[in-house]
mmCIF file of all heavy atoms in Angstrom:
data_model
loop_
_atom_site.group_PDB
_atom_site.id
_atom_site.type_symbol
_atom_site.label_atom_id
_atom_site.label_comp_id
_atom_site.label_asym_id
_atom_site.label_seq_id
_atom_site.Cartn_x
_atom_site.Cartn_y
_atom_site.Cartn_z
ATOM 1 N N HIS A 77 9.103 -2.448 -4.093
ATOM 2 C CA HIS A 77 9.575 -2.291 -2.714
ATOM 3 C C HIS A 77 11.098 -2.328 -2.708
ATOM 4 O O HIS A 77 11.728 -2.839 -3.640
ATOM 5 C CB HIS A 77 9.057 -3.424 -1.816
ATOM 6 C CG HIS A 77 7.575 -3.472 -1.689
ATOM 7 N ND1 HIS A 77 6.870 -2.728 -0.776
ATOM 8 C CD2 HIS A 77 6.650 -4.187 -2.373
ATOM 9 C CE1 HIS A 77 5.588 -2.962 -0.900
ATOM 10 N NE2 HIS A 77 5.421 -3.851 -1.867
ATOM 11 N N LEU A 78 11.686 -1.788 -1.656
ATOM 12 C CA LEU A 78 13.122 -1.932 -1.466
ATOM 13 C C LEU A 78 13.442 -3.415 -1.292
ATOM 14 O O LEU A 78 12.823 -4.095 -0.479
ATOM 15 C CB LEU A 78 13.591 -1.143 -0.242
ATOM 16 C CG LEU A 78 13.387 0.375 -0.308
ATOM 17 C CD1 LEU A 78 13.805 1.013 1.008
ATOM 18 C CD2 LEU A 78 14.172 0.978 -1.458
ATOM 19 N N LEU A 79 14.395 -3.909 -2.059
ATOM 20 C CA LEU A 79 14.680 -5.345 -2.041
ATOM 21 C C LEU A 79 15.210 -5.811 -0.692
ATOM 22 O O LEU A 79 15.070 -6.981 -0.335
ATOM 23 C CB LEU A 79 15.658 -5.695 -3.160
ATOM 24 C CG LEU A 79 15.149 -5.417 -4.586
ATOM 25 C CD1 LEU A 79 16.195 -5.807 -5.618
ATOM 26 C CD2 LEU A 79 13.854 -6.159 -4.852
ATOM 27 N N THR A 80 15.812 -4.909 0.065
ATOM 28 C CA THR A 80 16.334 -5.294 1.378
ATOM 29 C C THR A 80 15.202 -5.659 2.353
ATOM 30 O O THR A 80 15.447 -6.301 3.362
ATOM 31 C CB THR A 80 17.161 -4.151 1.980
ATOM 32 O OG1 THR A 80 16.394 -2.939 1.932
ATOM 33 C CG2 THR A 80 18.450 -3.953 1.197
ATOM 34 N N GLU A 81 13.958 -5.257 2.041
ATOM 35 C CA GLU A 81 12.840 -5.612 2.914
ATOM 36 C C GLU A 81 12.615 -7.116 2.951
ATOM 37 O O GLU A 81 12.019 -7.644 3.893
ATOM 38 C CB GLU A 81 11.549 -4.940 2.420
ATOM 39 C CG GLU A 81 11.533 -3.436 2.600
ATOM 40 C CD GLU A 81 10.205 -2.839 2.148
ATOM 41 O OE1 GLU A 81 9.185 -3.554 2.215
ATOM 42 O OE2 GLU A 81 10.187 -1.674 1.730
ATOM 43 N N PHE A 82 13.104 -7.824 1.911
ATOM 44 C CA PHE A 82 12.840 -9.254 1.811
ATOM 45 C C PHE A 82 14.028 -10.089 2.270
ATOM 46 O O PHE A 82 14.041 -11.302 2.106
ATOM 47 C CB PHE A 82 12.460 -9.611 0.366
ATOM 48 C CG PHE A 82 11.248 -8.880 -0.114
ATOM 49 C CD1 PHE A 82 11.361 -7.673 -0.790
ATOM 50 C CD2 PHE A 82 9.983 -9.372 0.146
ATOM 51 C CE1 PHE A 82 10.237 -6.980 -1.212
ATOM 52 C CE2 PHE A 82 8.854 -8.694 -0.274
ATOM 53 C CZ PHE A 82 8.976 -7.493 -0.954
ATOM 54 N N GLU A 83 15.033 -9.422 2.832
ATOM 55 C CA GLU A 83 16.179 -10.149 3.367
ATOM 56 C C GLU A 83 15.892 -10.603 4.793
ATOM 57 O O GLU A 83 15.230 -9.901 5.553
ATOM 58 C CB GLU A 83 17.424 -9.259 3.380
ATOM 59 C CG GLU A 83 17.994 -8.953 2.018
ATOM 60 C CD GLU A 83 19.296 -8.174 2.119
ATOM 61 O OE1 GLU A 83 19.548 -7.581 3.186
ATOM 62 O OE2 GLU A 83 20.046 -8.170 1.162
ATOM 63 N N GLU A 84 16.404 -11.770 5.145
ATOM 64 C CA GLU A 84 16.389 -12.193 6.541
ATOM 65 C C GLU A 84 17.809 -12.558 6.945
ATOM 66 O O GLU A 84 18.451 -11.850 7.708
ATOM 67 C CB GLU A 84 15.442 -13.366 6.748
ATOM 68 C CG GLU A 84 15.316 -13.741 8.217
ATOM 69 C CD GLU A 84 14.170 -14.709 8.469
ATOM 70 O OE1 GLU A 84 13.281 -14.820 7.616
ATOM 71 O OE2 GLU A 84 14.197 -15.362 9.530
ATOM 72 N N ASP A 85 18.322 -13.673 6.425
ATOM 73 C CA ASP A 85 19.709 -14.031 6.696
ATOM 74 C C ASP A 85 20.472 -14.283 5.400
ATOM 75 O O ASP A 85 21.594 -14.793 5.422
ATOM 76 C CB ASP A 85 19.780 -15.274 7.603
ATOM 77 C CG ASP A 85 18.983 -16.437 7.037
ATOM 78 O OD1 ASP A 85 18.491 -16.327 5.901
ATOM 79 O OD2 ASP A 85 18.848 -17.452 7.737
ATOM 80 N N THR A 86 19.875 -13.926 4.261
ATOM 81 C CA THR A 86 20.497 -14.128 2.949
ATOM 82 C C THR A 86 20.370 -12.857 2.131
ATOM 83 O O THR A 86 19.318 -12.221 2.129
ATOM 84 C CB THR A 86 19.813 -15.296 2.192
ATOM 85 O OG1 THR A 86 19.864 -16.470 2.994
ATOM 86 C CG2 THR A 86 20.519 -15.565 0.869
ATOM 87 N N HIS A 87 21.446 -12.482 1.433
ATOM 88 C CA HIS A 87 21.429 -11.290 0.582
ATOM 89 C C HIS A 87 20.424 -11.476 -0.547
ATOM 90 O O HIS A 87 20.223 -12.583 -1.047
ATOM 91 C CB HIS A 87 22.829 -11.049 0.015
ATOM 92 C CG HIS A 87 23.000 -9.689 -0.601
ATOM 93 N ND1 HIS A 87 22.684 -8.534 0.057
ATOM 94 C CD2 HIS A 87 23.451 -9.313 -1.834
ATOM 95 C CE1 HIS A 87 22.948 -7.496 -0.722
ATOM 96 N NE2 HIS A 87 23.407 -7.941 -1.881
ATOM 97 N N TYR A 88 19.778 -10.386 -0.965
ATOM 98 C CA TYR A 88 18.710 -10.503 -1.964
ATOM 99 C C TYR A 88 19.224 -10.834 -3.357
ATOM 100 O O TYR A 88 18.469 -11.305 -4.212
ATOM 101 C CB TYR A 88 17.878 -9.215 -2.004
ATOM 102 C CG TYR A 88 18.631 -7.970 -2.448
ATOM 103 C CD1 TYR A 88 18.792 -7.669 -3.792
ATOM 104 C CD2 TYR A 88 19.168 -7.094 -1.512
ATOM 105 C CE1 TYR A 88 19.465 -6.537 -4.201
ATOM 106 C CE2 TYR A 88 19.850 -5.962 -1.906
ATOM 107 C CZ TYR A 88 19.997 -5.674 -3.248
ATOM 108 O OH TYR A 88 20.674 -4.553 -3.636
ATOM 109 N N LEU A 89 20.527 -10.588 -3.641
ATOM 110 C CA LEU A 89 21.074 -10.850 -4.977
ATOM 111 C C LEU A 89 22.403 -11.575 -4.844
ATOM 112 O O LEU A 89 23.312 -11.084 -4.174
ATOM 113 C CB LEU A 89 21.245 -9.535 -5.740
ATOM 114 C CG LEU A 89 21.592 -9.631 -7.226
ATOM 115 C CD1 LEU A 89 20.493 -10.356 -7.996
ATOM 116 C CD2 LEU A 89 21.816 -8.243 -7.819
ATOM 117 N N LYS A 90 22.501 -12.748 -5.486
ATOM 118 C CA LYS A 90 23.715 -13.559 -5.373
ATOM 119 C C LYS A 90 24.148 -14.076 -6.743
ATOM 120 O O LYS A 90 23.328 -14.230 -7.663
ATOM 121 C CB LYS A 90 23.481 -14.764 -4.442
ATOM 122 C CG LYS A 90 23.454 -14.424 -2.963
ATOM 123 C CD LYS A 90 23.275 -15.673 -2.129
ATOM 124 C CE LYS A 90 23.490 -15.381 -0.652
ATOM 125 N NZ LYS A 90 24.899 -15.077 -0.341
ATOM 126 N N LEU A 91 25.465 -14.353 -6.871
ATOM 127 C CA LEU A 91 26.004 -14.976 -8.071
ATOM 128 C C LEU A 91 25.776 -16.477 -7.970
ATOM 129 O O LEU A 91 26.174 -17.120 -6.993
ATOM 130 C CB LEU A 91 27.505 -14.673 -8.185
ATOM 131 C CG LEU A 91 28.182 -15.015 -9.510
ATOM 132 C CD1 LEU A 91 27.571 -14.222 -10.656
ATOM 133 C CD2 LEU A 91 29.678 -14.754 -9.406
ATOM 134 N N VAL A 92 25.099 -17.058 -8.967
ATOM 135 C CA VAL A 92 24.715 -18.465 -8.897
ATOM 136 C C VAL A 92 25.916 -19.376 -8.791
ATOM 137 O O VAL A 92 25.934 -20.341 -8.004
ATOM 138 C CB VAL A 92 23.861 -18.843 -10.134
ATOM 139 C CG1 VAL A 92 23.551 -20.336 -10.125
ATOM 140 C CG2 VAL A 92 22.577 -18.033 -10.157
ATOM 141 N N SER A 93 26.948 -19.109 -9.550
ATOM 142 C CA SER A 93 28.094 -20.030 -9.618
ATOM 143 C C SER A 93 28.847 -20.154 -8.308
ATOM 144 O O SER A 93 29.295 -21.242 -7.939
ATOM 145 C CB SER A 93 29.050 -19.570 -10.729
ATOM 146 O OG SER A 93 29.510 -18.245 -10.463
ATOM 147 N N SER A 94 28.972 -19.040 -7.565
ATOM 148 C CA SER A 94 29.788 -19.068 -6.346
ATOM 149 C C SER A 94 29.003 -18.754 -5.077
ATOM 150 O O SER A 94 29.512 -18.965 -3.983
ATOM 151 C CB SER A 94 30.949 -18.062 -6.480
ATOM 152 O OG SER A 94 30.445 -16.737 -6.585
ATOM 153 N N GLY A 95 27.783 -18.221 -5.205
ATOM 154 C CA GLY A 95 27.021 -17.814 -4.034
ATOM 155 C C GLY A 95 27.460 -16.485 -3.466
ATOM 156 O O GLY A 95 27.014 -16.084 -2.389
ATOM 157 N N GLU A 96 28.339 -15.781 -4.193
ATOM 158 C CA GLU A 96 28.853 -14.494 -3.732
ATOM 159 C C GLU A 96 27.754 -13.425 -3.797
ATOM 160 O O GLU A 96 26.966 -13.370 -4.737
ATOM 161 C CB GLU A 96 30.035 -14.082 -4.607
ATOM 162 C CG GLU A 96 30.665 -12.747 -4.233
ATOM 163 C CD GLU A 96 31.778 -12.357 -5.187
ATOM 164 O OE1 GLU A 96 32.102 -13.169 -6.081
ATOM 165 O OE2 GLU A 96 32.307 -11.248 -5.038
ATOM 166 N N ASP A 97 27.725 -12.565 -2.767
ATOM 167 C CA ASP A 97 26.758 -11.469 -2.763
ATOM 168 C C ASP A 97 27.077 -10.461 -3.855
ATOM 169 O O ASP A 97 28.250 -10.149 -4.119
ATOM 170 C CB ASP A 97 26.765 -10.750 -1.412
ATOM 171 C CG ASP A 97 26.217 -11.618 -0.294
ATOM 172 O OD1 ASP A 97 25.637 -12.672 -0.596
ATOM 173 O OD2 ASP A 97 26.382 -11.238 0.890
ATOM 174 N N ILE A 98 26.041 -9.940 -4.505
ATOM 175 C CA ILE A 98 26.204 -8.905 -5.520
ATOM 176 C C ILE A 98 25.568 -7.626 -4.990
ATOM 177 O O ILE A 98 24.368 -7.597 -4.707
ATOM 178 C CB ILE A 98 25.531 -9.305 -6.848
ATOM 179 C CG1 ILE A 98 26.132 -10.613 -7.377
ATOM 180 C CG2 ILE A 98 25.677 -8.193 -7.880
ATOM 181 C CD1 ILE A 98 25.456 -11.126 -8.625
ATOM 182 N N ASP A 99 26.369 -6.587 -4.859
ATOM 183 C CA ASP A 99 25.870 -5.300 -4.378
ATOM 184 C C ASP A 99 25.740 -4.332 -5.548
ATOM 185 O O ASP A 99 26.524 -4.368 -6.499
ATOM 186 C CB ASP A 99 26.822 -4.708 -3.334
ATOM 187 C CG ASP A 99 26.828 -5.512 -2.041
ATOM 188 O OD1 ASP A 99 25.714 -5.846 -1.571
ATOM 189 O OD2 ASP A 99 27.913 -5.814 -1.516
ATOM 190 N N PRO A 100 24.756 -3.455 -5.509
ATOM 191 C CA PRO A 100 24.551 -2.517 -6.621
ATOM 192 C C PRO A 100 25.668 -1.478 -6.705
ATOM 193 O O PRO A 100 26.200 -1.032 -5.680
ATOM 194 C CB PRO A 100 23.214 -1.865 -6.282
ATOM 195 C CG PRO A 100 23.080 -2.002 -4.801
ATOM 196 C CD PRO A 100 23.746 -3.292 -4.453
ATOM 197 N N VAL A 101 26.005 -1.099 -7.941
ATOM 198 C CA VAL A 101 26.987 -0.036 -8.156
ATOM 199 C C VAL A 101 26.346 1.321 -7.889
ATOM 200 O O VAL A 101 26.975 2.229 -7.344
ATOM 201 C CB VAL A 101 27.545 -0.108 -9.598
ATOM 202 C CG1 VAL A 101 28.464 1.080 -9.867
ATOM 203 C CG2 VAL A 101 28.279 -1.417 -9.822
#
Side-chain angles (χ1 to χ4, degrees):
H77 297 275
L78 298 176
L79 298 180
T80 51
E81 291 182 28
F82 301 93
E83 289 185 341
E84 185 168 342
D85 54 7
T86 304
H87 194 52
Y88 64 84
L89 190 61
K90 284 182 170 291
L91 191 62
V92 175
S93 59
S94 64
E96 180 183 356
D97 292 348
I98 301 176
D99 292 314
V101 174

